[in-house]
Amino acid sequence: MGIAPARDVARCSFQSIPLYSRSPKSMKKIVLCIVGPTGSGKTALALLLAKSLGGEIISADSRQVYKHLDIGTAKPTKAQRREVKHYFIDELEPDEIFNAGDFGRKGREMIDDIFQRRSVPIVVGGSGLYIQSLIDGFFQGPSADNEVRHRLYERLHAEGVEVLLSELRKIDPASAARMLPSNTRRIVRALEVYELTGVPLSELQKEKIQIHFTPLMIGLQWDRRVLYGRINRRVDVMLEDGLLNEVRKLTELGYSEETNSLQTVGYQEALSHLRGEISYDTMVELIKRNTRRFAKRQLTWFRREKRIRWFSIDDEQDFPSIAVKIVNMYRLPST
């Protein structure tokens, strides 16, 4: 899920941050990366920074890239996107395949284009694997082959995941050692890569990708109880804004719970409610609970990343002062 309702951004004063203009000689290939758990206000801060630095925003959210998934992913509003150029939003249909490897490759191309226009790339999102793929690079193997993948999924349903995992242990023990039986998509992908290339995925991933920029990673950290309160309120706002109608329209377009992009907190619970499996109140509580759990997993992921400079936040009014500090860090990244 995305973050920060638009109303959070409206309360932040862009005018409180000095505009930072740079000559071509002073341009450095520094990419700002704003990370943190869902509900932490990444969008609000990124918009402030983009207005100050003359930046363009790259969304590192694995679901905002899909069309029709607006309310449940907390996409930036159309007005915000008119103010600041955004990428990887509304680019794919919900049933199209898009993964961290795709994001890393295309995101680096976009960063190069932004630098050529003498703008500042600002990466914003809570998808840790997407950000890792972008700033460190890892090779994902060949593009998906629908025929091979379909056949492997048929085997998965007919033979069970343990059979496929056992097969993977024989051909790619290094990849298999990192997977649990619940990692069905990753197991299928590793088998698909081997069938298409004859080379284990673990070997292909050793290929070194050259990264031509330096990430300046900023993390937003709230008191856990305050963050959970923000998440709960945001779920209420999403439902008020029409999340259920959004999900109904998706089903009318022919998408179901089996669509990968809809296997997401908020959409799964709404689909269960619309099928009559759970009550409205149960749906609301499940979305809030599962979103809080998702935020906890995000925090666990990001806390392993030693390059992140964390900013503690007590109130949304802290965003402008934090943005000023980040602008100064961007000017002197070695400090």
Side-chain angles (χ1 to χ4, degrees), residues 13-22 32 44-57 83-84 120 122 319-320 322-328 330-331:
S13 172
F14 294 122
Q15 296 178 356
S16 64
I17 304 175
L19 180 65
Y20 174 39
S21 61
R22 297 172 297 159
L32 273 172
L45 179 61
L47 286 165
L48 287 169
L49 291 168
K51 296 287 284 186
S52 174
L53 291 168
E56 302 178 26
I57 293 176
E83 279 193 304
V84 176
V120 176
I122 302 175
F319 289 151
I322 288 174
V324 170
K325 293 176 183 177
I326 295 170
V327 167
N328 290 332
Y330 181 82
R331 291 174 175 175

Side-chain angles (χ1 to χ4, degrees), residues 1-5 38-39 74 230-238:
M1 295 174 71
I3 38 51
T38 187
R230 286 172 58 86
I231 288 171
N232 291 340
R233 288 192 298 275
R234 193 182 66 171
V235 171
D236 291 334
V237 170
M238 286 180 171

Side-chain angles (χ1 to χ4, degrees), residues 1 228-244 265-274 277-293:
M1 295 174 71
Y228 286 175
R230 286 172 58 86
I231 288 171
N232 291 340
R233 288 192 298 275
R234 193 182 66 171
V235 171
D236 291 334
V237 170
M238 286 180 171
L239 290 164
E240 291 169 7
D241 288 347
L243 176 61
L244 281 176
V265 177
Y267 291 98
Q268 286 288 287
E269 297 85 352
L271 285 165
S272 292
H273 170 64
L274 292 176
E277 297 170 358
I278 57 176
S279 69
Y280 181 88
D281 289 344
T282 299
M283 175 196 71
V284 173
E285 289 307 310
L286 285 175
I287 295 175
K288 291 179 178 179
R289 184 199 71 182
N290 293 338
T291 305
R292 294 192 300 267
R293 290 179 175 177

Side-chain angles (χ1 to χ4, degrees), residues 108-157:
R108 286 188 291 273
E109 293 173 358
M110 190 56 61
I111 285 171
D112 287 341
D113 289 342
I114 293 171
F115 278 131
Q116 287 178 8
R117 292 193 295 275
R118 295 195 167 97
S119 292
V120 176
I122 302 175
V123 178
V124 184
S127 297
L129 190 62
Y130 276 44
I131 292 170
Q132 181 187 351
S133 173
L134 178 72
I135 67 176
D136 292 328
F138 56 79
F139 187 68
Q140 284 291 94
S143 299
D145 184 295
N146 290 332
E147 182 179 345
V148 173
R149 182 166 293 189
H150 179 70
R151 176 160 34 82
L152 286 168
Y153 271 110
E154 284 188 334
R155 287 189 56 202
L156 173 67
H157 296 309

Side-chain angles (χ1 to χ4, degrees), residues 102-265:
D102 296 328
F103 176 79
R105 183 178 63 258
K106 295 178 181 179
R108 286 188 291 273
E109 293 173 358
M110 190 56 61
I111 285 171
D112 287 341
D113 289 342
I114 293 171
F115 278 131
Q116 287 178 8
R117 292 193 295 275
R118 295 195 167 97
S119 292
V120 176
I122 302 175
V123 178
V124 184
S127 297
L129 190 62
Y130 276 44
I131 292 170
Q132 181 187 351
S133 173
L134 178 72
I135 67 176
D136 292 328
F138 56 79
F139 187 68
Q140 284 291 94
S143 299
D145 184 295
N146 290 332
E147 182 179 345
V148 173
R149 182 166 293 189
H150 179 70
R151 176 160 34 82
L152 286 168
Y153 271 110
E154 284 188 334
R155 287 189 56 202
L156 173 67
H157 296 309
E159 302 172 34
V161 66
E162 289 292 351
V163 173
L164 269 63
L165 185 54
S166 176
E167 183 176 317
L168 183 62
R169 290 189 184 106
K170 295 175 183 177
I171 62 175
D172 190 356
S175 291
R178 298 194 296 265
M179 299 183 192
L180 298 172
S182 58
N183 304 136
T184 54
R185 284 202 294 269
R186 294 176 61 197
I187 293 168
V188 167
R189 174 58 177 164
L191 289 170
E192 175 190 32
V193 167
Y194 185 78
E195 184 166 339
L196 291 172
T197 67
V199 181
L201 177 60
S202 59
E203 290 299 315
L204 291 174
Q205 288 177 332
K206 293 178 182 178
E207 292 190 9
K208 181 63 177 177
I209 294 175
Q210 295 297 316
I211 306 297
H212 303 293
F213 58 82
T214 300
L216 174 55
M217 303 186 73
I218 304 298
L220 300 181
Q221 183 168 280
W222 295 76
D223 175 84
R224 186 71 60 90
R225 288 173 297 179
V226 176
L227 176 65
Y228 286 175
R230 286 172 58 86
I231 288 171
N232 291 340
R233 288 192 298 275
R234 193 182 66 171
V235 171
D236 291 334
V237 170
M238 286 180 171
L239 290 164
E240 291 169 7
D241 288 347
L243 176 61
L244 281 176
N245 285 334
E246 178 169 284
V247 176
R248 285 192 188 95
K249 290 178 181 177
L250 284 161
T251 60
E252 291 168 2
L253 289 170
Y255 303 111
S256 69
E257 71 277 5
E258 296 179 359
T259 304
N260 183 55
S261 62
L262 296 185
Q263 293 176 14
T264 305
V265 177

